Amino acid sequence: MASPTTLYDLLPRDGDCRSDHLLGRFLDYVADRHLTLYPAQEEAVLELYEGRNVILNTPTGSGKSLVAAALHFASLARGRRSVYTCPIKALVNEKWLALCREFGPDNVGLSTGDATVNRDAPILCCTAEILANLALREGPDADVDDVVMDEFHWYADRDRGVAWQVPLLTLPQARFLLMSATLGDTTFFEESLTRLTGRTTVAVKSETRPVPLEYAYAELTLAQTLERLVGEGKAPVYVVHFTQLEAAQSAQDFTSLNVCTRDEKQALAQAVEGFRFSSPYGPNIRTWLKQGIGLHHAGLLPKYRVLVEQLAQRGLLKIICGTDTLGVGINVPIRTVLFTRLCKFDGQKTVILSARDFHQISGRAGRKGFDDRGWVVVQAPEHVIENLALEKKAVEKGKKFVRRRPPEHNFVAWDRQTFTRLIHAPPERLTSRFQVLHGCC
């Protein structure tokens, strides 16, 4: 069987780099993969090929990566240099591998702070801080012509947002593609980008999800909720935690659940056979994986994160215990997102999740091409669930009971109304976090 045509194969060899010619070749690539562009994708690609800045604000799973590939294709064809940047090293590595497959390893470089490969290539994949450093150091003289900023809502991150803002301020020669599922009002960016780069800026928006979501509020214990979801065929389930310790503790606790059949466990054992779980933490990860339970957070060795991603892509894992960083576009197929809580410590205090955080994480539910819908489930607070169980027993026995009190630390109460409000709330407007400190970039 012949290998599918890559974007590198479709680069014009006759020097014809007119927009309509490049667009025709890109559409040939799309057709060769039996894809149909969504209206927002088509609009974004057309605007990019007219030389405009584009702000792409569409839901998770709506094909933003394909739009970025169209920009890289046109940039490479015209001898320009394009940069892809995002907040998470794991996602940078993933995009680097994907672009290497499309454009060839000689044309794609990597720079994350952990590793540098072919850094001067015409397409560079890097973390936001790497691009910010380059922009601060060289500014208008930097060898950067086109910039893809993925997960652009990180612009509002208190600690790292400056790394998203610096390139916008210091690279007037560049054309930008800003992408996120949760941008809110983009009027400010449209006006500022046009003023700073001299290019027209267009916002392309859509609220239509390829895979619609259903929502539920659970007042069962976490273990009971998981068993029900797996039993109803709603796995893989991404169990959302906000600390690495809680994610690991849940992975251990869930080993008491029987979520895999004997054949599924045998397939998992074969899949991890020969893999070296050589670190002190390795045996724990192997035990969880053999039970169909994955752990995924930034504190793990990269080889373990990649293994979890690969097993999930093969459909072998039923539960993935992760932190909220898994909501950042990494290619892990998820059918159900299960929030263990709706509050988190934001670096200064414990607060209810922002609408942006909630929608960003929820958006991971449902896989295009696999699911006709995704599910988002939120657990009631633990003490509320305990009180409901105690009250039921007390009524049955005709006795009084002592109510459990909410935690005194690192906790803000939420209920069904909080959940409903977050479902319908639009993402907050992005706000600048610009502070130039000695160690910020």
Side-chain angles (χ1 to χ4, degrees), residues 239-435:
V239 186
V240 184
H241 304 79
F242 296 103
T243 70
Q244 297 175 6
L245 179 61
E246 289 175 342
Q249 184 59 55
S250 285
Q252 179 61 41
D253 292 344
F254 296 157
T255 56
S256 62
L257 305 178
N258 189 20
V259 296
C260 290
T261 65
R262 180 179 299 179
D263 289 342
E264 289 170 337
K265 290 179 181 178
Q266 185 176 358
L268 281 162
Q270 292 175 349
V272 300
E273 186 177 359
F275 187 90
R276 296 186 62 190
F277 296 91
S278 51
S279 71
Y281 203 44
N284 291 330
I285 295 173
R286 177 173 53 199
T287 298
W288 300 333
L289 289 176
K290 287 186 175 182
Q291 298 293 320
I293 302 164
L295 179 66
H296 195 288
H297 59 66
L300 289 176
L301 289 175
K303 69 175 184 177
Y304 295 139
R305 290 201 304 270
V306 171
L307 177 61
V308 169
E309 292 163 16
Q310 292 173 341
L311 293 176
Q313 289 160 11
R314 293 171 58 183
L316 296 176
L317 298 182
K318 296 299 180 74
I319 299 170
I320 302 167
C321 299
T323 54
D324 50 333
T325 56
L326 192 56
V328 187
I330 298 170
N331 184 20
V332 176
I334 293 162
R335 184 166 290 170
T336 301
V337 170
L338 173 58
F339 287 86
T340 55
R341 53 168 54 198
L342 284 181
C343 65
K344 75 169 185 176
F345 183 69
D346 70 354
Q348 294 181 340
K349 60 182 178 179
T350 301
V351 296
I352 293 294
L353 291 183
S354 67
R356 169 167 290 106
D357 284 344
F358 175 79
H359 290 299
Q360 191 67 38
I361 299 168
S362 298
R364 302 297 297 158
R367 304 165 296 175
K368 180 185 173 185
F370 294 90
D371 304 321
D372 58 2
R373 68 192 65 243
W375 286 269
V376 178
V377 182
V378 168
Q379 286 288 112
E382 285 186 25
H383 72 280
V384 171
I385 295 171
E386 286 185 48
N387 285 333
L388 288 172
L390 290 171
E391 183 177 13
K392 182 179 179 181
K393 286 184 179 180
V395 169
E396 291 173 352
K397 296 181 179 180
K399 296 182 179 180
K400 295 183 178 180
F401 70 99
V402 178
R403 288 188 172 275
R404 300 289 190 266
R405 298 176 63 86
E408 295 181 359
H409 304 288
N410 300 326
F411 177 81
V412 176
W414 71 91
D415 56 19
R416 195 184 297 270
Q417 288 185 334
T418 312
F419 181 35
T420 301
R421 177 182 63 79
L422 287 172
I423 291 171
H424 298 291
E428 299 81 3
R429 181 174 179 175
L430 295 175
T431 56
S432 171
R433 301 294 189 177
F434 194 87
Q435 298 182 67

Side-chain angles (χ1 to χ4, degrees), residues 30-44:
V30 172
D32 186 58
R33 277 161 171 67
H34 307 289
L35 301 174
T36 301
L37 294 179
Y38 296 117
Q41 286 177 299
E42 185 175 350
E43 181 183 354

